[in-house]
């Protein structure tokens, strides 16, 4: 796998609101964990204009293990590819050691966002404010 352009890690606990009637995470909780880590990535880079103009156009999640109420979760998001109008990310969500269970991969996948500037409905090139604040990419 190629070296990512940028990465972020976020740690939190599975809260009651993140669970379903069976007591483990609702499938949408993983996506919220990933979105929070994505936001951390752009905050760390000092990029403020990304949100509000970067809708997802593709999302793929592989659920691999359950996460339980109270369990600590570590989410890793990597920006893997910067295109003219799109960005491709990968992610991993780890359930940390909990009760008698060891740390294990709970979910992984990818998502793609596209630049749709405010007030428009079609894709456009990423603005300079975003491109210039991303780490240099290797060709």
């Amino acid at each position: 796998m190629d070296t990512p352009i940028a990465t972020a890690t976020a740690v939190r606990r599975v809260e009651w609101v993140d669970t379903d009637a069976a007591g483990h995470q609702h499938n949408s909780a993983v996506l919220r964990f990933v979105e929070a880590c994505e936001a951390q990535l752009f905050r760390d880079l000092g990029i403020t204009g990304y949100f509000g103009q970067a809708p997802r156009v593709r999302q793929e999640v592989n659920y691999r293990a359950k996460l339980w109420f109270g369990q600590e979760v570590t989410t890793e998001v990597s920006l893997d590819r910067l295109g003219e109008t799109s960005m491709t990310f990968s992610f991993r969500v780890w359930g940390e050691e909990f009760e008698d269970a060891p740390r294990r991969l709970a979910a992984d996948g990818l998502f793609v966002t596209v630049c749709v500037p405010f007030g428009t409905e079609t894709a456009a090139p990423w603005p300079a404010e975003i491109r210039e604040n991303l780490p240099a990419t290797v060709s």
Side-chain angles (χ1 to χ4, degrees):
M1 180 178 216
D2 295 331
T3 302
I5 296 167
T7 62
T9 301
V11 178
R12 63 169 290 177
R13 289 203 181 276
V14 177
E15 300 296 339
W16 187 248
V17 70
D18 300 321
T19 64
D20 65 12
H24 59 76
Q25 95 280 358
H26 187 272
N27 65 338
S28 64
V30 165
L31 301 176
R32 287 193 308 275
F33 300 156
V34 169
E35 287 177 350
C37 192
E38 175 189 8
Q40 184 65 52
L41 186 149
F42 285 99
R43 275 193 301 273
D44 291 349
L45 293 170
I47 297 173
T48 59
Y50 174 79
F51 289 96
Q53 64 176 336
R56 280 164 171 54
V57 294
R58 180 175 179 207
Q59 193 157 272
E60 180 180 310
V61 182
N62 304 300
Y63 295 96
R64 302 191 181 280
K66 294 176 181 175
L67 299 168
W68 300 96
F69 172 69
Q71 186 174 13
E72 190 169 85
V73 175
T74 301
T75 303
E76 303 163 347
V77 170
S78 298
L79 170 55
D80 297 325
R81 182 180 171 280
L82 172 64
E84 183 68 20
T85 63
S86 67
M87 291 186 195
T88 303
F89 300 81
S90 59
F91 65 87
R92 295 184 300 175
V93 178
W94 295 90
E96 297 300 339
E97 191 175 314
F98 186 70
E99 296 178 352
D100 294 330
R103 181 182 201 250
R104 63 179 128 179
L105 183 63
D108 62 354
L110 63 87
F111 63 95
V112 177
T113 63
V114 172
C115 180
V116 179
F118 299 105
T120 69
E121 294 186 15
T122 58
W126 292 105
E129 183 264 334
I130 291 176
R131 286 187 172 279
E132 291 169 0
N133 283 296
L134 290 173
T137 58
V138 178
S139 300

